Amino acid sequence: MSISDRSEVTKMIVSAKVRKGLKWAHIATRLGTSKEWATAACLGQMQFSKQQAETAAELFDLDDEACAWLQIVPYKGSLPSAVPTDPLIYRWYEIVSVYGTTIKELIHEEFGDGIMSAIDFSMDIQRQADPKGDRVNVVLSGKFLPYKTY
Amino acid sequence: MSISDRSEVTKMIVSAKVRKGLKWAHIATRLGTSKEWATAACLGQMQFSKQQAETAAELFDLDDEACAWLQIVPYKGSLPSAVPTDPLIYRWYEIVSVYGTTIKELIHEEFGDGIMSAIDFSMDIQRQADPKGDRVNVVLSGKFLPYKTY
Amino acid sequence: MSISDRSEVTKMIVSAKVRKGLKWAHIATRLGTSKEWATAACLGQMQFSKQQAETAAELFDLDDEACAWLQIVPYKGSLPSAVPTDPLIYRWYEIVSVYGTTIKELIHEEFGDGIMSAIDFSMDIQRQADPKGDRVNVVLSGKFLPYKTY
Amino acid sequence: MSISDRSEVTKMIVSAKVRKGLKWAHIATRLGTSKEWATAACLGQMQFSKQQAETAAELFDLDDEACAWLQIVPYKGSLPSAVPTDPLIYRWYEIVSVYGTTIKELIHEEFGDGIMSAIDFSMDIQRQADPKGDRVNVVLSGKFLPYKTY
Amino acid sequence: MSISDRSEVTKMIVSAKVRKGLKWAHIATRLGTSKEWATAACLGQMQFSKQQAETAAELFDLDDEACAWLQIVPYKGSLPSAVPTDPLIYRWYEIVSVYGTTIKELIHEEFGDGIMSAIDFSMDIQRQADPKGDRVNVVLSGKFLPYKTY
Amino acid sequence: MSISDRSEVTKMIVSAKVRKGLKWAHIATRLGTSKEWATAACLGQMQFSKQQAETAAELFDLDDEACAWLQIVPYKGSLPSAVPTDPLIYRWYEIVSVYGTTIKELIHEEFGDGIMSAIDFSMDIQRQADPKGDRVNVVLSGKFLPYKTY
Amino acid sequence: MSISDRSEVTKMIVSAKVRKGLKWAHIATRLGTSKEWATAACLGQMQFSKQQAETAAELFDLDDEACAWLQIVPYKGSLPSAVPTDPLIYRWYEIVSVYGTTIKELIHEEFGDGIMSAIDFSMDIQRQADPKGDRVNVVLSGKFLPYKTY
Amino acid sequence: MSISDRSEVTKMIVSAKVRKGLKWAHIATRLGTSKEWATAACLGQMQFSKQQAETAAELFDLDDEACAWLQIVPYKGSLPSAVPTDPLIYRWYEIVSVYGTTIKELIHEEFGDGIMSAIDFSMDIQRQADPKGDRVNVVLSGKFLPYKTY
Amino acid sequence: MSISDRSEVTKMIVSAKVRKGLKWAHIATRLGTSKEWATAACLGQMQFSKQQAETAAELFDLDDEACAWLQIVPYKGSLPSAVPTDPLIYRWYEIVSVYGTTIKELIHEEFGDGIMSAIDFSMDIQRQADPKGDRVNVVLSGKFLPYKTY
Amino acid sequence: MSISDRSEVTKMIVSAKVRKGLKWAHIATRLGTSKEWATAACLGQMQFSKQQAETAAELFDLDDEACAWLQIVPYKGSLPSAVPTDPLIYRWYEIVSVYGTTIKELIHEEFGDGIMSAIDFSMDIQRQADPKGDRVNVVLSGKFLPYKTY
């Protein structure tokens, strides 16, 4: 049967990853990108280049049709509900809920009216060793885009 | 009339801040904390110590009752709707939506099952100069908390 | 009583506009901007410069505190519900609902993965004379922002 | 098995388009319509004429039953949720949210009470070259329909 | 205090109507319109002409500011929730729910793709005597607006 | 496989109708009812009599099990979401939203407290020729049911 | 200030009832109705006759304007949310949730297609002594209204 | 394939009931329970005893695995949406909406704080002959459970 | 002005508690109940006895009308949204979300079909010293209520 | 076919458990954990160790791919709707709704600002014999995590 939705390819990738015991770090190396971009792409959020798609097809045993779908821009959004139920992801939603107005105030105080881009954006997740318990350290970098009068 | 909700004090603070033309950076210096914590606290998300509350009372011309309310733990959550409409804050919601499963996968690959704490947590927002347009650089640090078998 | 929310200033402006019988076109001329930006700003969606705020204060009989609030970045979003009930505004929601995937496909076909910015954005609304009934002609212009591999 | 819903035909079309590497511009030329109408029609939002359906059947290898379904008026609405999660489409929702009341005010100021039709409507999406980064230029044209006293 | 929202004027009208024991039929006669339009207008859904507004001001003891607001196009939508709780209004929602797809099919079979306008629209509600119990007879008339290929 | 839900039979009917190119008007004649009742019944909203079910089975090539299901009272409600996205059906939702309180007021003024029945109810949809564009004319007739004191 | 909503009168009644320590049973006797109707009416769900309104005005110290409002049909629905949070009322929602399809099946088996009216309806709530703990006994009586073919 | 959810067994039962033309009254007799309990149980809301499950298996031609599932406590709740769309079931939701606060007041007046149990509960639905049209008579009996101070 | 809702009394209590610096433990001792019941009662979830209400009136400087309201059963539910935003309360919602089906399975395995009562219920919250960080220890006790066949 | 989601494995486990008549207590013993952890893990909420997964595979006849999936951290959240419809689980939601603010107040009074962890957490469910009817006794233990100033 034919593929009519990128989510079908995501399922194939996720299934192959578990079956073959692959690691995201390894997949990223093969794709030649950061682990953050590679994971998001494999989970159906980013468009692959032709070469990346071919590497992915090899890694996950995908056929030509699936490979073609990886090169199409997907309908984005990875969560099954507006407020996520998964505890790890909810903590991020909570950060937006508790600190949302704070982030807004501080970016406006520094830059004026505008936003921090979620498109011209990158993310880096690292383990930070700490004697009181290791920490997750995440760096988010987004271009500031100003509103303009016209 | 009496105060029955922290949000009334938040309104007093916000109102005084505009009226007096205060900056969050200055307020944070006076409170002796990071600008992120100070802003969140003034916006009704954190509990003030006695001394911090007194400083805030002085900064924002609050009376004793308002000052007492700052020392009570507030009901948290700063947004008026589950999916925020404000463009700057929405971009953060979008990051959670697009990258939520990615963040989950990478933290689990590095740490195993558990979460990145939103309580034992700190945030640092900085301007990052860039010839192609300055960027907002945000560092989030949260302790990893493992699920345990029992 | 003090102002603690931009929406209070919006109410003052809207009230004064009706009371004084002002037109948006006239207000825009006074503010020195397009009528689209001027209207959005007066309806609480944009930050005024100091000079624009002073002009607005004069136009709408606002006091200094209201004038200060106009220079603060507002919490944006002008609609009382996620799906608007007003028939004119609903038609725009319907355009997004019916043509949303079409717009997505065509922008991606032309530009690749990315978005049309709603920040680096302008809008122009004009009457288009037509013997079969005049038309509303709206031009939207937004910078294309590409997703990048990192 | 039989087809009981237009969305099944949309899936066939989308699947064939990726498999065959077709472009919307090319499909539109073959259908003899604008690329905007052609894309919306193929994505399940418009009714095909007999001739257009036959062309589509040829382009996408559809059988007679699918071809018959293209000539039926579909249940419209292309988005999986009331507030879209896809960043490109969300930006359009945001434009409605931020500028909704502005659009309403300006159309009423120019035309009086009524709406801009989303039925007697056309849309044109173009690349606008710009040294600071190319822009997406969209022209929306809708007939003004006045409310009348009765 | 100033008026900043048409709903405030609606409240004044509704309040005066009860206080003075007025009937909608009488109000409509005074406004020179159908009772359906007159009622909708008084309940905040339609724009009054200058003369109608002055008549309304007299009928309901409104001051000049309220009278000016009646001549502004209101934000429409008369219900407090997406699914109405009031049994009489719910029955109409139920008609749309149960017969919605039927209405769609029959209009399309007769007219092709398009809609029945809710703007170029009128409604007439009458008592229909019936020995088995009188009936409410409602005639809805809306212009058919066709979708066109472009 | 067995049928466990009326919606499966509705799909069979809809599928056969397209495949065979049947018209609702013709189907209604065969069932011996109005086109409104016949369409609603075929779309899964009404219970068929034994004879009507047998006629339907013949028209749509249904087997005995499907025919038995037509004689069961279905779970009613034909729309996939509380607020319909389809433009034609949405216009009816909009009529309820804009005119809901008007309908309520006028029925109460004429009849006192009670409702217009959506059960002891009929509907008639006709084309109304009009030089300015043909109109859809819909007559709704529902028995008035009074609330009683007890 | 004037009354513009029945809910304001409900608040006056509820307030007076507590202040004066009245019982619903006593109020019902005074109004000459069942305690169920009387309570629903006082809580803003039913229209009072002139005489009932005058009795209520006396019982609850209402002025003429409030008394006039009692004789207007109210916008019905007594709950603040679609799914009630109050445990006693939730149990009734749960009965509808758990037994809803059961009630539907049994009424249809006995009566054919149609509904149990919630308008031509009465309710009687009684204590039923029981050695294992007294029970609440509620009798609901609603006229069966059949759907008819037309 | 294996069964992993009680709802699959409910579908088998509903399907067999239609196919075999069984009545709930007959099924209840065979199960040795009231028709209300029997119907709710067959519709997936109650746990069967071993003997009841075996009788059901015989009545509906279920295999051993389905029979085992009937003896497992199901996840309850029979409705596909929080506010039911089916007119018969909606009327019950409406009774809760209109009379909810009334029921609460009268039970509290008679019994004090507590609830009417929906667990230690029974329901009896009967036809009540009436010259003006037969009525549905429903008796609900639930144990009163008091809140206690602790 | 008169009180028409228990929530007004809750606000008075909360306000007085902060103003006077009272502790829940102390309030509970004065009311002669557990701290859990006392807190819930003061926050508007429980009915006070006459004596408890008089003690509360003294503690919080309430007048006779407020004191009368404390003896009325309140409309329960203490949260402003279906999914709580406050991090502490959300963790409890998360426990229900993650462990809900587990709790259901284990209670049914031990007791058969039925529920753990939330009415015949008590709760005890204690600090549990722990060298790795003190813990919150909560004991919930609810009577098991079995479903019965009838 | 391949597995692409943990919920498929949960279905296999649930299906096997019913088919084989296993008890959670027995499963827990085999896994060497508490019955609470074991049940949550089997219902798709926890990650299995390699050894636990192999034991589960043996108990439930799972193949290697399913066994691999058990060792992956699942997307958590066990309920099909934000407000659960199942009566047993709803009672827990109700406890959070009625006692949520109470729990918050008492933990803050004892510990200051912070939360009770739902990650460093354990739960124990026991039958508590009681002559007036046995009770469900649940002990929840969660580490207190303080917010800190930074």
Side-chain angles (χ1 to χ4, degrees), chain I residues 40-72:
Chain I
C42 289
L43 293 177
Q45 304 299 315
M46 302 287 160
Q47 182 188 29
F48 286 71
S49 69
K50 187 161 190 305
Q51 189 184 321
Q52 288 164 335
E54 285 165 1
T55 305
E58 206 179 307
L59 271 167
F60 303 117
D61 298 339
L62 306 175
D63 63 16
D64 284 0
E65 193 178 354
C67 184
W69 270 94
L70 290 178
Q71 301 171 56
I72 301 291

Side-chain angles (χ1 to χ4, degrees), chain D residues 27-78:
Chain D
I27 294 164
T29 305
R30 289 291 304 278
L31 290 172
T33 70
S34 66
K35 66 184 181 306
E36 287 75 16
W37 189 92
T39 307
C42 290
L43 294 177
Q45 303 300 313
M46 301 288 160
Q47 180 188 31
F48 286 70
S49 69
K50 187 164 191 308
Q51 191 184 318
Q52 289 163 338
E54 285 164 2
T55 305
E58 207 179 305
L59 272 165
F60 303 117
D61 300 337
L62 306 175
D63 64 17
D64 284 1
E65 193 178 354
C67 184
W69 269 94
L70 290 178
Q71 301 171 58
I72 301 291
V73 182
Y75 190 96
K76 294 166 186 173
S78 69

Side-chain angles (χ1 to χ4, degrees), chain H residues 88-102:
Chain H
L88 186 144
I89 301 178
Y90 183 81
R91 295 309 177 274
W92 278 73
Y93 179 81
E94 185 176 300
I95 291 168
V96 178
S97 170
V98 170
Y99 282 99
T101 49
T102 295

Side-chain angles (χ1 to χ4, degrees), chain H residues 104-140:
Chain H
K104 179 174 172 67
E105 287 290 324
L106 292 174
I107 294 177
H108 292 328
E109 182 160 310
E110 178 63 31
F111 292 90
D113 197 3
I115 62 154
M116 168 180 163
S117 182
I119 308 297
D120 189 333
F121 171 83
S122 66
M123 168 184 269
D124 182 43
I125 302 177
Q126 299 295 344
R127 177 190 286 264
Q128 177 185 355
D130 189 307
K132 282 177 286 186
D134 285 5
R135 301 179 74 80
V136 186
N137 199 282
V138 184
V139 181
L140 308 175

Side-chain angles (χ1 to χ4, degrees), chain E residues 83-87 90-91 94 97-98, chain H residues 83-87 90-91 94 97-98:
Chain E
V83 177
T85 61
D86 182 79
Y90 183 82
R91 296 307 178 275
E94 184 175 300
S97 170
V98 170
Chain H
V83 178
T85 62
D86 182 79
Y90 183 81
R91 295 309 177 274
E94 185 176 300
S97 170
V98 170

Side-chain angles (χ1 to χ4, degrees), chain E residues 2-77:
Chain E
S2 290
I3 297 169
S4 63
D5 199 300
R6 172 74 172 270
S7 67
E8 298 170 50
V9 187
T10 300
K11 283 182 182 172
M12 291 173 197
I13 289 177
V14 166
S15 181
K17 180 178 175 290
V18 172
R19 219 165 42 231
K20 301 181 148 199
L22 300 172
K23 294 286 178 195
W24 294 116
H26 171 70
I27 294 164
T29 305
R30 289 292 303 277
L31 290 172
T33 70
S34 67
K35 66 185 181 307
E36 287 76 16
W37 189 91
T39 306
C42 289
L43 294 177
Q45 304 298 314
M46 301 288 159
Q47 179 188 32
F48 285 71
S49 69
K50 187 163 190 307
Q51 190 184 319
Q52 289 164 337
E54 285 165 3
T55 304
E58 207 179 305
L59 271 166
F60 303 116
D61 299 339
L62 306 174
D63 63 17
D64 285 1
E65 192 178 354
C67 185
W69 270 94
L70 290 178
Q71 301 171 56
I72 302 290
V73 183
Y75 190 95
K76 293 166 187 174

